[in-house]
Amino acid sequence: MLYNSTENNKEVVSAAQAIAQGISKDGGLFVPQELPKYTEETFKSLLGLSYNERAKIVFSDFLTDFTEEEIADCVDKAYTVEKFGSECPAPLVAKKYNGNEINIMELWHGPTCAFKDMALQILPHFLTKSLKKTYDGKTAVILVATSGDTGKAALEGFKDVDHTKMIVFYPEDGVSPMQKRQMNTQKGSNVNVCAIKGNFDDAQTGVKKIFTTDEIVELLHKNDMLFSSANSINWGRLLPQIVYYISAYCDLVNSKKINMGDKINIVVPTGNFGNILAAYYAYCMGMPVNKFICASNQNNVLTDFINTGVYDKNRQFYATASPSMDILVSSNLERLLYKFSGNNDELVAKWMNQLKTEGKYEVTDEVKKEITSKFFGGFCDDTNTKATIKELFDEEKYLCDTHTSVAINVYNQYVEKTGDKTPVVIASTASPYKFSHSVLEAVAPEAICDDEFTMVDELNKITGAEVPKPIAELKNLEVRFNNVTEADKMPEYVKNTLGI
């Protein structure tokens, strides 16, 4: 299978090159020229398989320049019982909310307690094999912009991986205390973190500028290095997310919640649009889906876009209780626009340029019709986020984090508006203990204090929800890195970190 750039489809690369390079030279994102087609028979053949076995089949259909043995090696090293606690790293948990049956797909059982582990535990294996195939001997310099969860998951996944160096940039005041502590206590001789003044969009824009700055690219080339990415702009990050939606569908059939061929609804709390895009790709491959419900927090740029066809980042930015969605520039939306425009790279490049220069663009009526036919957009503010956490806990004794709460709240809005009770899968993207202050404030505000880990203990006492081992272990770690906060020092810091 070959891949094109969304902004120049004359650029054609292999899967290995797309993963190693991360982003197209023109700034576009790599997408497969065509998607595999799965029939009902294909899905039936997946029913009796384990998660790892399903993953190997899906990956083999996209990574056609990888051998069967290479793919198996990547999967078996990434999704282990030791890392995820069981042979099923993405279990479904059946609950009720406001009388509606919901299936919560818990994607946070990995080493950093966030859904990014599902992709970032396997991406280093994809990348090292891709480098050998396409850039033998070079070191990949991985730049990551994060709104919280990607940073830690990337640091953990790439620590001490040969031929890689990593710098994670995060907004100094735009992540939770737990996320910041996780990043700043990361072990690994090849990984570094850098706090910036600004928000996630500033970090993401800065990383893209570094990627496409000729002077820095040439400097890396002279030192036998190349840039790559661990953000979801990298196809190797997005592909593993397709797997857990296909696997969830099989699990629903196996548990007799649905019959083979029945449609499902999928709800995803999203800011950068990667997680929900992976679900859409699974649909394009043949997974029966009725509606994709895109759940935003108060930074509701995606909600407005889905409802109007106008993407406008010129708006107030809110620091919310669900910080991983505090994003106004949703990078992966570009991939959806490419598909809905009939692979029109010139039109996509025009829209992306308008976003850079004017902060907004409007899609065609045809594209808007495609979007509204498959997607529902809704948002939830902090007050309702916390209310939903409490309601779900009171009703089901189930504790969810702030991002999952946004998804559940928006799903409830969807049902109330449409009456559609198609069986649903809701992506749960983080452990509640990653956001202990906000979750504790929702269920027991009287227990709020200034210390993050005291609040973890209080939340555990009050709810009985198990504290994940990685978070419990953080208490004994010392902060190892000093943050660099001056944005104008970023290029120098990059060079110093690389030792060039």
Side-chain angles (χ1 to χ4, degrees), residues 131-330:
L131 287 170
K132 289 178 181 178
K133 292 175 183 292
T134 56
Y135 298 99
D136 192 29
K138 286 188 179 291
T139 292
V141 178
I142 303 160
L143 305 182
V144 177
T146 185
S147 54
D149 286 334
T150 290
K152 173 60 179 179
L155 292 163
E156 183 67 25
F158 279 91
K159 68 177 181 183
D160 297 323
V161 172
D162 289 341
H163 298 294
T164 65
K165 291 177 179 284
M166 172 174 285
I167 308 171
V168 170
F169 300 97
Y170 70 89
E172 184 178 21
D173 298 318
V175 299
S176 77
M178 186 67 71
Q179 289 172 319
K180 184 180 292 188
R181 188 175 181 90
Q182 282 187 311
M183 287 187 282
N184 285 331
T185 57
Q186 177 63 47
K187 297 179 180 179
S189 60
N190 63 327
V191 296
N192 299 270
V193 293
C194 174
I196 69 159
K197 291 180 178 177
N199 56 38
F200 168 78
D201 295 321
D202 298 319
Q204 182 168 251
T205 300
V207 164
K208 286 187 176 181
K209 284 181 179 178
I210 296 171
F211 258 94
T212 54
T213 299
D214 291 338
E215 178 186 1
I216 298 178
V217 171
E218 180 60 25
L219 194 56
L220 261 66
H221 177 71
K222 288 179 180 178
N223 286 270
D224 213 21
M225 299 176 176
L226 77 156
F227 277 136
S228 190
S229 174
N231 283 91
S232 55
I233 57 176
N234 190 316
W235 178 251
R237 255 288 305 276
L238 196 61
L239 175 57
Q241 296 176 293
I242 296 174
V243 175
Y244 53 67
Y245 289 107
I246 290 175
S247 185
Y249 188 88
C250 294
D251 290 344
L252 286 175
V253 174
N254 282 337
S255 64
K256 304 192 183 306
K257 300 258 182 188
I258 61 172
N259 296 316
M260 178 60 72
D262 287 351
K263 291 183 177 182
I264 62 172
N265 287 334
I266 294 176
V267 190
V268 185
T270 188
N272 217 22
F273 207 76
N275 201 358
I276 196 167
L277 178 66
Y280 179 75
Y281 279 146
Y283 159 76
C284 293
M285 292 167 63
M287 188 177 77
V289 179
N290 175 53
K291 206 76 171 181
F292 299 92
I293 300 164
C294 179
S296 301
N297 61 22
Q298 200 167 354
N299 294 295
N300 60 343
V301 63
L302 283 169
T303 303
D304 289 345
F305 173 70
I306 290 169
N307 293 329
T308 68
V310 176
Y311 195 102
D312 188 356
K313 71 170 186 175
N314 301 313
R315 61 182 66 210
Q316 183 175 347
F317 176 86
Y318 297 97
T320 73
S322 46
S324 296
M325 296 192 291
D326 290 348
I327 296 171
L328 294 181
V329 179
S330 306

Side-chain angles (χ1 to χ4, degrees), residues 107-149:
L107 299 170
W108 42 263
H109 291 281
T112 76
C113 308
F115 82 103
K116 307 295 176 71
D117 288 326
M118 297 297 298
L120 284 164
Q121 281 299 307
I122 198 166
L123 179 59
H125 302 291
F126 283 161
L127 181 60
T128 51
K129 286 178 171 55
S130 295
L131 287 170
K132 289 178 181 178
K133 292 175 183 292
T134 56
Y135 298 99
D136 192 29
K138 286 188 179 291
T139 292
V141 178
I142 303 160
L143 305 182
V144 177
T146 185
S147 54
D149 286 334

